[in-house]
Amino acid sequence: MTQLDIQNLVANYPLVDRLIKLEPTCWFNFNITSLAEGLPYVGLDQTNIADASERLTRFAPYLALAFPETAATNGIIESAVVEIPAMKKALQQRYDVTIAGQLLLKKDSHLPISGSIKARGGIYEVLTHAEKLAIEQGLLSKEEDYSKLFSDQFKQFFSQYSIAVGSTGNLGLSIGIMSAKLGFNVSVHMSADAREWKKQKLRANGVNVVEYEQDYGVAVEQGRKAAESDPKCFFIDDENSKTLFLGYSVAGQRLKHQFNEMGIKVDREHPLFVYLPCGVGGGPGGVAFGLKMAFGDHVHCIFAEPTHSPCMLLGVYTGLHDNIAVQDLGIDNLTAADGLAVGRASGFVGRAMERLLDGFYTLSDQEMYHLLALLDKTEDIQLEPSALAGMMGPIVVSQHSDYLNRMHFTDQQLQKATHLVWATGGGMVPQAEMAKYLSATVD
Ligand SMILES: *Cc1c(COP(=O)(O)O)cnc(C)c1O
């Protein structure tokens, strides 16, 4: 983009100026519609989510065997929801704001197998591919017990095929570990942001790690190229995959069950606000889609990004989607939130979900570090920096009476609201690494 193009963009979209200056920014979506109006643009529906859910149920006996840590949940990969009242108190004090309603944390950070939200979409897409290959070759039928996949015969079968993916870290972990366990040859193309321990863990699991000195976009492009030359190689496309998206979406119905068990209501009188850290968009987009399908118009999804990587806010706000990258504006895409270090958002997710998302905001790395330390101190829960992006959400919403008024929330409804912060990763961060995160905070 030329300087003139940027000036024109700023003239039409004034918040772009704040993004360029790396100032924390929030934008509440004026184009939001009801689920009924917005759903046709997604191009997916409840039958697709049910299909994904059934596929995960078919694979559950296999997962329970292959990953004993999932045996307790019978091979279903799901995380706990916990109340964090001490953190709520600390947040209110730190930001001098009242958060009406209760504050909960969704601990995808502690999902089994790979310790991040990517254990939903990433693993699901590998399983989908494996099932397709095995069924095509007449080795498996959907009615069978899938624990038969945990065998040398199947490992040998899958070893004829390969899988490739580009990642900032966590998607690579999920896809690498799952693919290698099934027997695939798997290559993970890692961007410069990827943490060393994640690469080591992958190598220890027999995964081929290819390192790049550039960012996520380059790692994905190179991964795609490497896969193109090999007809037996399947490239998992984080930027456009509907399969990944559907793997994430299953979370909606699951959360509804958890809320039922906990006695938490979601309806007109009890609105639900959900805060989701966003990188390329597949994870938060898929989860938000599932939440909308489960809770309808009473769930309000808000995406959180680092000030240095505000790709989804930029894409949706300007309507340019994947036709613009933060680097086009001179924003460097360098952030400690490695899971969110993405310069160009998924065009598929932005276009599919732009009518169903209430808002977007950015926060600084320093703020994420503060929140990381605060959660550690108040609740003894340890997360990676990316996973704290959503923690600012209840503050941002509580401070924006313009948004709350436009949406016609009454005080009474807000008192009965639930704020759910989606903790997207950190359960597998080594202790020494976590100590570094904790000491990075200056108060
Ligand atoms: C990948 C990731 C996200 C965001 O998911 P996207 O699909 O990239 O938007 C958020 N948090 C963590 C910890 C992640 O690894």
Side-chain angles (χ1 to χ4, degrees), residues 197-241:
W197 69 268
K198 291 180 183 174
K199 297 178 195 169
Q200 279 173 13
K201 196 175 173 78
L202 281 174
R203 290 193 177 109
N205 277 276
V207 174
N208 174 32
V209 177
V210 190
E211 298 178 79
Y212 295 90
E213 283 174 23
Q214 296 97 337
D215 81 347
Y216 165 86
V218 174
V220 169
E221 232 14 80
Q222 292 305 314
R224 197 192 306 270
K225 254 190 218 155
E228 268 167 12
S229 57
D230 178 357
K232 285 198 156 180
C233 183
F234 178 63
F235 176 69
I236 294 185
D237 185 352
D238 194 18
E239 291 172 321
N240 298 295
S241 169

Short mmCIF file of all heavy atoms in Angstrom, two decimals, residues 197-241:
data_model
loop_
_atom_site.label_atom_id
_atom_site.label_comp_id
_atom_site.label_asym_id
_atom_site.label_seq_id
_atom_site.Cartn_x
_atom_site.Cartn_y
_atom_site.Cartn_z
N TRP A 197 10.60 -24.92 23.01
CA TRP A 197 10.14 -26.14 23.67
C TRP A 197 9.06 -26.86 22.86
O TRP A 197 8.94 -28.08 22.89
CB TRP A 197 9.66 -25.85 25.10
CG TRP A 197 8.39 -25.04 25.23
CD1 TRP A 197 8.30 -23.68 25.35
CD2 TRP A 197 7.04 -25.52 25.26
NE1 TRP A 197 6.99 -23.29 25.46
CE2 TRP A 197 6.19 -24.40 25.40
CE3 TRP A 197 6.46 -26.80 25.18
CZ2 TRP A 197 4.80 -24.51 25.46
CZ3 TRP A 197 5.07 -26.91 25.24
CH2 TRP A 197 4.26 -25.77 25.38
N LYS A 198 8.30 -26.09 22.09
CA LYS A 198 7.26 -26.72 21.25
C LYS A 198 7.93 -27.52 20.12
O LYS A 198 7.49 -28.62 19.79
CB LYS A 198 6.31 -25.66 20.69
CG LYS A 198 5.44 -25.02 21.78
CD LYS A 198 4.47 -23.95 21.27
CE LYS A 198 3.71 -23.33 22.45
NZ LYS A 198 2.86 -22.20 22.10
N LYS A 199 9.00 -26.97 19.58
CA LYS A 199 9.74 -27.69 18.51
C LYS A 199 10.36 -28.96 19.08
O LYS A 199 10.32 -30.01 18.45
CB LYS A 199 10.83 -26.78 17.93
CG LYS A 199 10.29 -25.54 17.24
CD LYS A 199 11.45 -24.68 16.75
CE LYS A 199 10.97 -23.28 16.40
NZ LYS A 199 12.09 -22.35 16.16
N GLN A 200 10.93 -28.82 20.28
CA GLN A 200 11.56 -30.00 20.89
C GLN A 200 10.55 -31.10 21.18
O GLN A 200 10.80 -32.27 20.93
CB GLN A 200 12.24 -29.60 22.21
CG GLN A 200 13.61 -28.96 21.98
CD GLN A 200 14.19 -28.43 23.28
OE1 GLN A 200 13.71 -28.73 24.37
NE2 GLN A 200 15.24 -27.61 23.16
N LYS A 201 9.40 -30.68 21.68
CA LYS A 201 8.35 -31.66 22.00
C LYS A 201 7.92 -32.40 20.73
O LYS A 201 7.72 -33.61 20.74
CB LYS A 201 7.16 -30.93 22.64
CG LYS A 201 6.18 -31.86 23.35
CD LYS A 201 5.11 -31.04 24.06
CE LYS A 201 4.03 -31.93 24.63
NZ LYS A 201 4.41 -32.59 25.88
N LEU A 202 7.80 -31.64 19.64
CA LEU A 202 7.40 -32.26 18.38
C LEU A 202 8.45 -33.25 17.90
O LEU A 202 8.13 -34.38 17.49
CB LEU A 202 7.17 -31.19 17.32
CG LEU A 202 5.82 -30.47 17.44
CD1 LEU A 202 5.74 -29.33 16.44
CD2 LEU A 202 4.68 -31.47 17.20
N ARG A 203 9.71 -32.84 17.94
CA ARG A 203 10.79 -33.74 17.48
C ARG A 203 10.80 -35.00 18.33
O ARG A 203 10.99 -36.10 17.81
CB ARG A 203 12.13 -33.01 17.53
CG ARG A 203 12.24 -31.93 16.48
CD ARG A 203 13.67 -31.42 16.30
NE ARG A 203 13.72 -30.42 15.23
CZ ARG A 203 13.92 -29.11 15.43
NH1 ARG A 203 14.12 -28.65 16.65
NH2 ARG A 203 13.93 -28.29 14.40
N ALA A 204 10.57 -34.84 19.64
CA ALA A 204 10.55 -36.00 20.53
C ALA A 204 9.41 -36.95 20.18
O ALA A 204 9.47 -38.14 20.45
CB ALA A 204 10.43 -35.54 21.98
N ASN A 205 8.37 -36.40 19.52
CA ASN A 205 7.23 -37.22 19.11
C ASN A 205 7.39 -37.75 17.69
O ASN A 205 6.44 -38.29 17.12
CB ASN A 205 5.93 -36.43 19.21
CG ASN A 205 5.36 -36.43 20.62
OD1 ASN A 205 4.66 -37.35 21.02
ND2 ASN A 205 5.69 -35.41 21.39
N GLY A 206 8.57 -37.55 17.10
CA GLY A 206 8.82 -38.08 15.76
C GLY A 206 8.29 -37.21 14.63
O GLY A 206 8.04 -37.69 13.52
N VAL A 207 8.11 -35.93 14.91
CA VAL A 207 7.60 -35.01 13.89
C VAL A 207 8.77 -34.29 13.22
O VAL A 207 9.74 -33.92 13.88
CB VAL A 207 6.64 -33.98 14.55
CG1 VAL A 207 6.20 -32.91 13.55
CG2 VAL A 207 5.45 -34.70 15.17
N ASN A 208 8.66 -34.08 11.90
CA ASN A 208 9.67 -33.33 11.16
C ASN A 208 9.37 -31.83 11.29
O ASN A 208 8.35 -31.37 10.80
CB ASN A 208 9.63 -33.80 9.69
CG ASN A 208 10.53 -32.98 8.80
OD1 ASN A 208 11.59 -32.50 9.24
ND2 ASN A 208 10.11 -32.80 7.56
N VAL A 209 10.24 -31.11 11.97
CA VAL A 209 10.02 -29.67 12.19
C VAL A 209 10.87 -28.87 11.21
O VAL A 209 12.09 -29.07 11.14
CB VAL A 209 10.39 -29.28 13.64
CG1 VAL A 209 10.22 -27.77 13.85
CG2 VAL A 209 9.52 -30.05 14.63
N VAL A 210 10.22 -28.01 10.42
CA VAL A 210 10.94 -27.14 9.50
C VAL A 210 10.84 -25.72 10.04
O VAL A 210 9.74 -25.24 10.31
CB VAL A 210 10.31 -27.20 8.08
CG1 VAL A 210 11.20 -26.49 7.07
CG2 VAL A 210 10.06 -28.65 7.67
N GLU A 211 12.00 -25.09 10.25
CA GLU A 211 12.00 -23.77 10.89
C GLU A 211 12.17 -22.64 9.89
O GLU A 211 12.91 -22.77 8.93
CB GLU A 211 13.12 -23.69 11.92
CG GLU A 211 12.97 -24.71 13.03
CD GLU A 211 14.12 -24.67 14.02
OE1 GLU A 211 14.11 -23.78 14.87
OE2 GLU A 211 15.02 -25.53 13.91
N TYR A 212 11.47 -21.54 10.14
CA TYR A 212 11.58 -20.35 9.29
C TYR A 212 11.96 -19.14 10.12
O TYR A 212 11.60 -19.07 11.30
CB TYR A 212 10.26 -20.08 8.56
CG TYR A 212 9.93 -21.18 7.59
CD1 TYR A 212 9.18 -22.28 8.00
CD2 TYR A 212 10.43 -21.16 6.30
CE1 TYR A 212 8.92 -23.32 7.14
CE2 TYR A 212 10.18 -22.21 5.43
CZ TYR A 212 9.42 -23.28 5.85
OH TYR A 212 9.17 -24.32 5.00
N GLU A 213 12.65 -18.21 9.49
CA GLU A 213 12.97 -16.98 10.20
C GLU A 213 11.91 -15.92 9.95
O GLU A 213 12.00 -14.81 10.44
CB GLU A 213 14.36 -16.47 9.79
CG GLU A 213 15.44 -17.28 10.49
CD GLU A 213 16.84 -16.94 10.05
OE1 GLU A 213 17.03 -15.83 9.55
OE2 GLU A 213 17.71 -17.80 10.22
N GLN A 214 10.91 -16.27 9.16
CA GLN A 214 9.84 -15.31 8.88
C GLN A 214 8.59 -15.67 9.67
O GLN A 214 8.58 -16.64 10.43
CB GLN A 214 9.51 -15.29 7.38
CG GLN A 214 10.65 -14.81 6.51
CD GLN A 214 11.43 -15.97 5.93
OE1 GLN A 214 11.41 -17.07 6.47
NE2 GLN A 214 12.13 -15.72 4.84
N ASP A 215 7.52 -14.93 9.42
CA ASP A 215 6.32 -15.11 10.24
C ASP A 215 5.42 -16.23 9.70
O ASP A 215 5.75 -16.93 8.73
CB ASP A 215 5.58 -13.78 10.44
CG ASP A 215 4.70 -13.41 9.26
OD1 ASP A 215 4.83 -14.03 8.18
OD2 ASP A 215 3.89 -12.49 9.42
N TYR A 216 4.28 -16.33 10.33
CA TYR A 216 3.30 -17.38 10.06
C TYR A 216 2.91 -17.49 8.59
O TYR A 216 2.83 -18.60 8.03
CB TYR A 216 2.08 -17.11 10.95
CG TYR A 216 0.83 -17.85 10.59
CD1 TYR A 216 0.62 -19.13 11.08
CD2 TYR A 216 -0.12 -17.27 9.77
CE1 TYR A 216 -0.53 -19.82 10.74
CE2 TYR A 216 -1.27 -17.95 9.44
CZ TYR A 216 -1.47 -19.22 9.92
OH TYR A 216 -2.60 -19.88 9.57
N GLY A 217 2.68 -16.33 7.94
CA GLY A 217 2.25 -16.35 6.54
C GLY A 217 3.25 -17.07 5.65
O GLY A 217 2.87 -17.86 4.77
N VAL A 218 4.53 -16.85 5.90
CA VAL A 218 5.59 -17.50 5.11
C VAL A 218 5.65 -18.99 5.42
O VAL A 218 5.77 -19.83 4.51
CB VAL A 218 6.95 -16.82 5.39
CG1 VAL A 218 8.08 -17.56 4.70
CG2 VAL A 218 6.92 -15.36 4.94
N ALA A 219 5.55 -19.35 6.70
CA ALA A 219 5.59 -20.76 7.09
C ALA A 219 4.45 -21.54 6.42
O ALA A 219 4.63 -22.65 5.92
CB ALA A 219 5.50 -20.89 8.62
N VAL A 220 3.27 -20.92 6.36
CA VAL A 220 2.11 -21.58 5.74
C VAL A 220 2.37 -21.74 4.23
O VAL A 220 2.14 -22.82 3.66
CB VAL A 220 0.82 -20.75 5.96
CG1 VAL A 220 -0.32 -21.28 5.10
CG2 VAL A 220 0.42 -20.79 7.43
N GLU A 221 2.86 -20.69 3.59
CA GLU A 221 3.11 -20.73 2.15
C GLU A 221 4.11 -21.82 1.79
O GLU A 221 3.93 -22.57 0.84
CB GLU A 221 3.62 -19.35 1.68
CG GLU A 221 2.87 -18.77 0.53
CD GLU A 221 1.54 -19.45 0.25
OE1 GLU A 221 0.52 -19.20 0.91
OE2 GLU A 221 1.54 -20.32 -0.67
N GLN A 222 5.19 -21.90 2.57
CA GLN A 222 6.23 -22.90 2.31
C GLN A 222 5.68 -24.31 2.55
O GLN A 222 5.97 -25.23 1.79
CB GLN A 222 7.45 -22.65 3.20
CG GLN A 222 8.21 -21.37 2.84
CD GLN A 222 8.64 -21.32 1.39
OE1 GLN A 222 9.17 -22.30 0.86
NE2 GLN A 222 8.38 -20.22 0.72
N GLY A 223 4.89 -24.47 3.59
CA GLY A 223 4.27 -25.76 3.88
C GLY A 223 3.36 -26.19 2.74
O GLY A 223 3.38 -27.34 2.29
N ARG A 224 2.60 -25.23 2.23
CA ARG A 224 1.69 -25.50 1.13
C ARG A 224 2.46 -25.96 -0.11
O ARG A 224 2.11 -26.93 -0.77
CB ARG A 224 0.89 -24.24 0.81
CG ARG A 224 -0.36 -24.46 -0.02
CD ARG A 224 -0.94 -23.14 -0.53
NE ARG A 224 -1.19 -22.16 0.52
CZ ARG A 224 -2.33 -22.04 1.19
NH1 ARG A 224 -3.34 -22.85 0.94
NH2 ARG A 224 -2.47 -21.10 2.10
N LYS A 225 3.55 -25.27 -0.40
CA LYS A 225 4.38 -25.59 -1.56
C LYS A 225 4.98 -26.99 -1.44
O LYS A 225 4.94 -27.77 -2.39
CB LYS A 225 5.53 -24.57 -1.67
CG LYS A 225 5.32 -23.60 -2.81
CD LYS A 225 6.59 -22.78 -3.04
CE LYS A 225 6.20 -21.35 -3.37
NZ LYS A 225 7.25 -20.40 -3.05
N ALA A 226 5.54 -27.28 -0.26
CA ALA A 226 6.17 -28.58 -0.05
C ALA A 226 5.14 -29.70 -0.26
O ALA A 226 5.46 -30.76 -0.81
CB ALA A 226 6.77 -28.65 1.35
N ALA A 227 3.91 -29.45 0.16
CA ALA A 227 2.87 -30.48 0.05
C ALA A 227 2.41 -30.67 -1.40
O ALA A 227 2.07 -31.78 -1.81
CB ALA A 227 1.69 -30.11 0.94
N GLU A 228 2.43 -29.58 -2.18
CA GLU A 228 1.93 -29.65 -3.56
C GLU A 228 2.68 -30.65 -4.42
O GLU A 228 2.13 -31.27 -5.32
CB GLU A 228 2.01 -28.26 -4.22
CG GLU A 228 0.73 -27.47 -4.07
CD GLU A 228 0.90 -26.00 -4.43
OE1 GLU A 228 1.95 -25.64 -5.01
OE2 GLU A 228 -0.03 -25.22 -4.12
N SER A 229 3.97 -30.80 -4.14
CA SER A 229 4.79 -31.66 -4.99
C SER A 229 4.60 -33.14 -4.66
O SER A 229 5.16 -34.00 -5.31
CB SER A 229 6.27 -31.28 -4.82
OG SER A 229 6.62 -31.37 -3.46
N ASP A 230 3.81 -33.45 -3.64
CA ASP A 230 3.64 -34.84 -3.21
C ASP A 230 2.14 -35.19 -3.14
O ASP A 230 1.43 -34.74 -2.26
CB ASP A 230 4.29 -35.00 -1.82
CG ASP A 230 4.11 -36.41 -1.27
OD1 ASP A 230 3.44 -37.24 -1.92
OD2 ASP A 230 4.64 -36.66 -0.17
N PRO A 231 1.67 -36.01 -4.10
CA PRO A 231 0.23 -36.33 -4.15
C PRO A 231 -0.26 -37.08 -2.90
O PRO A 231 -1.46 -37.10 -2.64
CB PRO A 231 0.09 -37.19 -5.41
CG PRO A 231 1.46 -37.67 -5.72
CD PRO A 231 2.42 -36.65 -5.18
N LYS A 232 0.65 -37.70 -2.17
CA LYS A 232 0.22 -38.41 -0.96
C LYS A 232 0.32 -37.54 0.29
O LYS A 232 0.18 -38.03 1.41
CB LYS A 232 1.04 -39.69 -0.78
CG LYS A 232 0.61 -40.78 -1.76
CD LYS A 232 1.11 -42.12 -1.31
CE LYS A 232 0.24 -43.23 -1.89
NZ LYS A 232 0.66 -44.56 -1.49
N CYS A 233 0.59 -36.26 0.06
CA CYS A 233 0.70 -35.35 1.19
C CYS A 233 -0.55 -34.48 1.30
O CYS A 233 -0.99 -33.88 0.33
CB CYS A 233 1.94 -34.47 1.05
SG CYS A 233 2.17 -33.38 2.47
N PHE A 234 -1.10 -34.41 2.49
CA PHE A 234 -2.29 -33.61 2.74
C PHE A 234 -1.87 -32.36 3.51
O PHE A 234 -1.25 -32.45 4.57
CB PHE A 234 -3.28 -34.44 3.57
CG PHE A 234 -4.54 -33.70 3.93
CD1 PHE A 234 -5.41 -33.25 2.94
CD2 PHE A 234 -4.87 -33.50 5.26
CE1 PHE A 234 -6.58 -32.58 3.28
CE2 PHE A 234 -6.04 -32.84 5.61
CZ PHE A 234 -6.89 -32.38 4.61
N PHE A 235 -2.20 -31.19 2.94
CA PHE A 235 -1.83 -29.94 3.58
C PHE A 235 -3.02 -29.42 4.38
O PHE A 235 -4.11 -29.24 3.84
CB PHE A 235 -1.42 -28.91 2.52
CG PHE A 235 -1.12 -27.56 3.11
CD1 PHE A 235 -0.01 -27.36 3.91
CD2 PHE A 235 -1.98 -26.49 2.90
CE1 PHE A 235 0.26 -26.13 4.48
CE2 PHE A 235 -1.73 -25.25 3.45
CZ PHE A 235 -0.60 -25.07 4.25
N ILE A 236 -2.81 -29.17 5.66
CA ILE A 236 -3.88 -28.63 6.50
C ILE A 236 -3.80 -27.10 6.46
O ILE A 236 -2.82 -26.51 6.88
CB ILE A 236 -3.79 -29.19 7.93
CG1 ILE A 236 -4.08 -30.71 7.85
CG2 ILE A 236 -4.80 -28.48 8.85
CD1 ILE A 236 -4.15 -31.43 9.17
N ASP A 237 -4.85 -26.53 5.90
CA ASP A 237 -4.86 -25.11 5.56
C ASP A 237 -5.58 -24.30 6.64
O ASP A 237 -6.79 -24.09 6.57
CB ASP A 237 -5.55 -24.95 4.20
CG ASP A 237 -5.50 -23.52 3.70
OD1 ASP A 237 -5.06 -22.64 4.47
OD2 ASP A 237 -5.90 -23.30 2.55
N ASP A 238 -4.80 -23.83 7.59
CA ASP A 238 -5.35 -23.10 8.74
C ASP A 238 -6.12 -21.85 8.29
O ASP A 238 -7.02 -21.38 8.99
CB ASP A 238 -4.16 -22.71 9.64
CG ASP A 238 -4.59 -22.23 11.03
OD1 ASP A 238 -5.73 -22.52 11.42
OD2 ASP A 238 -3.78 -21.57 11.69
N GLU A 239 -5.76 -21.30 7.14
CA GLU A 239 -6.39 -20.04 6.73
C GLU A 239 -7.77 -20.25 6.11
O GLU A 239 -8.57 -19.33 6.09
CB GLU A 239 -5.48 -19.33 5.71
CG GLU A 239 -4.20 -18.80 6.35
CD GLU A 239 -3.20 -18.27 5.32
OE1 GLU A 239 -3.08 -18.88 4.24
OE2 GLU A 239 -2.55 -17.26 5.61
N ASN A 240 -8.04 -21.44 5.62
CA ASN A 240 -9.30 -21.63 4.88
C ASN A 240 -10.09 -22.88 5.25
O ASN A 240 -11.11 -23.15 4.63
CB ASN A 240 -9.00 -21.71 3.37
CG ASN A 240 -8.37 -20.44 2.87
OD1 ASN A 240 -9.01 -19.39 2.87
ND2 ASN A 240 -7.11 -20.51 2.47
N SER A 241 -9.60 -23.68 6.20
CA SER A 241 -10.20 -25.00 6.38
C SER A 241 -11.54 -24.97 7.11
O SER A 241 -11.63 -24.53 8.26
CB SER A 241 -9.24 -25.90 7.14
OG SER A 241 -9.90 -27.08 7.53
#
